[in-house]
Amino acid sequence: MTDTTTGDCCAPTRPAGDASPTETVRTRVHSGSTVGLVRLDGGEFRMGSERDEAYPQDGEGPVRTVRLDPFWISPTAVSVADFAVFVDATGYRTDAERWGWSFVFGGLLPDDFPPTRGVAAAPWWRQVEGAYWWRPEGPGSDAGDRPDHPVTHVSFRDALAYCDWAGLRLPTEAEWEYAARGGLEGKPFPWGEQLEPSGRHRMNVWQGEFPGRNECSDGWYGTCPVDAFEPNGYGLHNTTGNVWEWCADRFDPDFPARDTRVNPRGPERGERRSARGGSYLCHESYCRRYRVSARQGVTPDSSIGNIGFRCVRDVWSSDEEQEAAGWNAGSSSTS
């Protein structure tokens, strides 16, 4: 059955009338090690897009020159195995666990799966009781058989909790896009101009006719390992396709035109948070958001089967400098 749960093709959101569960986000446990991270020098780059395939209503433009400080970033999204270490160490329970359900793409459910509520505007999204990060398709599924895949069904607040524990933080949109471009300028994809250069698949997206037929010519129906496909010029994997990735900024499609051009952090107020990169469900017939400039806004309490995150760390000489700059991992507000 279908109801009026709000949302869109990329990321449905929880009904506005529902009350959010609450739990204190744990304070930092780790010191924010840079082991395994990639150091990026920052500097100036051209952010955004005004190309024909861009979505002006999402605030992809205007194209503007942005300057960033250096930072460290994970070469991959946080994996199931990574998140399991965090949960084992802290006992943390995600929003989806406290809600008791999460949104699952219907094509991943067994044919005999009981009827569930869906999203009126995007009926392929099903409200599945018992779905959460370790049971990504609900009872009977097990993320233990895909430890190297990105963790999903994590809300913005869940991502902050992980970052806080790890001594890291979520990237700003500007940092994310700078990293995703891999040193290229004005290109829609991390590797350049063509979706499938020389006929090769470079990311995990939908092929065929959405939502009924996926040819899986890229090798995957749902998520793929976090390090699948070739990295971009900065050594980062899957910055487009696979899963959307939470960013620290609040989402306002009109804000990029007036945002600061030096280390921009997005608007100070807003109900939604930004997510970047597209997912395994993106298809040119209905959603071209598998590009480095594409963006969407999602309510921070939403958990969905195609959103994950990756982490960054500042390049500071001491923790005192980091705290003075206001970037300490636990300082972000989820309001």
Side-chain angles (χ1 to χ4, degrees):
M1 57 184 167
T2 301
D3 69 4
T4 56
T5 302
T6 60
D8 60 26
C9 62
C10 295
T13 59
R14 293 192 179 277
D18 287 357
S20 298
T22 58
E23 180 173 297
T24 301
V25 175
R26 295 176 183 273
T27 56
R28 180 183 303 178
V29 174
H30 294 292
S31 61
S33 171
T34 59
V35 174
L37 302 183
V38 175
R39 190 187 190 279
L40 300 182
D41 291 335
E44 290 188 348
F45 82 108
R46 298 282 285 169
M47 183 175 181
S49 176
E50 298 170 1
R51 294 165 61 116
D52 290 343
E53 67 267 24
Y55 289 93
Q57 69 271 25
D58 290 347
E60 285 195 49
V63 176
R64 62 270 189 202
T65 299
V66 169
R67 184 171 184 82
L68 297 174
D69 290 333
F71 61 99
W72 297 87
I73 187 167
S74 172
T76 68
V78 173
S79 69
V80 168
D82 295 330
F83 202 77
V85 172
F86 160 61
V87 171
D88 288 346
T90 64
Y92 182 82
R93 295 177 67 242
T94 59
D95 279 337
E97 290 171 88
R98 293 193 299 277
W99 282 100
W101 63 272
S102 189
F103 286 112
V104 176
F105 173 59
L108 294 172
L109 300 174
D111 292 340
D112 59 354
F113 199 86
T116 63
R117 296 169 65 193
V119 178
W124 47 87
W125 284 116
R126 313 306 300 177
Q127 181 178 325
V128 175
E129 299 292 330
Y132 68 104
W133 73 274
W134 190 254
R135 299 279 185 256
E137 289 82 56
S141 63
D142 188 341
D145 62 6
R146 59 194 97 163
D148 57 348
H149 286 225
V151 68
T152 56
H153 300 286
V154 285
S155 68
F156 176 83
R157 209 179 57 83
D158 298 332
L160 281 187
Y162 177 94
C163 290
D164 187 57
W165 169 78
L168 304 172
R169 63 176 174 84
L170 291 176
T172 65
E173 282 199 77
E175 289 170 332
W176 188 96
E177 185 172 326
Y178 171 84
R181 289 184 176 278
L184 300 181
E185 183 170 303
K187 305 298 183 182
F189 304 114
W191 52 86
E193 195 70 36
Q194 301 299 318
L195 175 63
E196 298 172 7
S198 302
R200 293 182 301 130
H201 293 283
R202 296 294 301 270
M203 62 178 164
N204 177 19
V205 292
W206 192 277
Q207 298 93 42
E209 297 180 4
F210 187 87
R213 179 176 57 86
N214 189 348
E215 297 172 354
C216 299
S217 54
D218 60 9
W220 305 96
Y221 187 86
T223 59
C224 69
V226 295
D227 59 355
F229 301 99
E230 299 172 40
N232 70 6
Y234 290 154
L236 276 58
H237 295 268
N238 295 329
T239 54
T240 53
N242 210 26
V243 293
W244 286 93
E245 297 181 7
W246 288 110
C247 290
D249 303 39
R250 290 179 172 85
F251 181 84
D252 179 346
D254 297 323
F255 191 76
R258 60 181 187 275
D259 197 5
T260 179
R261 298 297 190 258
V262 179
N263 296 318
R265 302 188 189 186
E268 294 183 0
R269 294 178 177 82
E271 295 182 357
R272 293 182 290 170
R273 294 285 178 163
S274 294
R276 289 299 207 109
S279 81
Y280 60 90
L281 296 177
C282 285
H283 186 267
E284 62 181 357
S285 66
Y286 83 103
C287 176
R288 302 185 305 274
R289 294 181 178 88
Y290 44 59
R291 296 167 292 102
V292 291
S293 62
R295 58 199 300 262
Q296 68 164 327
V298 187
T299 56
D301 59 353
S302 291
S303 63
I304 313 156
N306 70 337
I307 292 187
F309 66 102
R310 75 178 70 210
C311 304
V312 301
R313 189 189 193 280
D314 299 287
V315 177
W316 303 107
S317 61
S318 68
D319 285 345
E320 288 74 19
E321 286 185 45
Q322 185 172 350
E323 291 175 1
W327 276 122
N328 53 307
S331 66
S332 296
S333 170
T334 60
S335 61

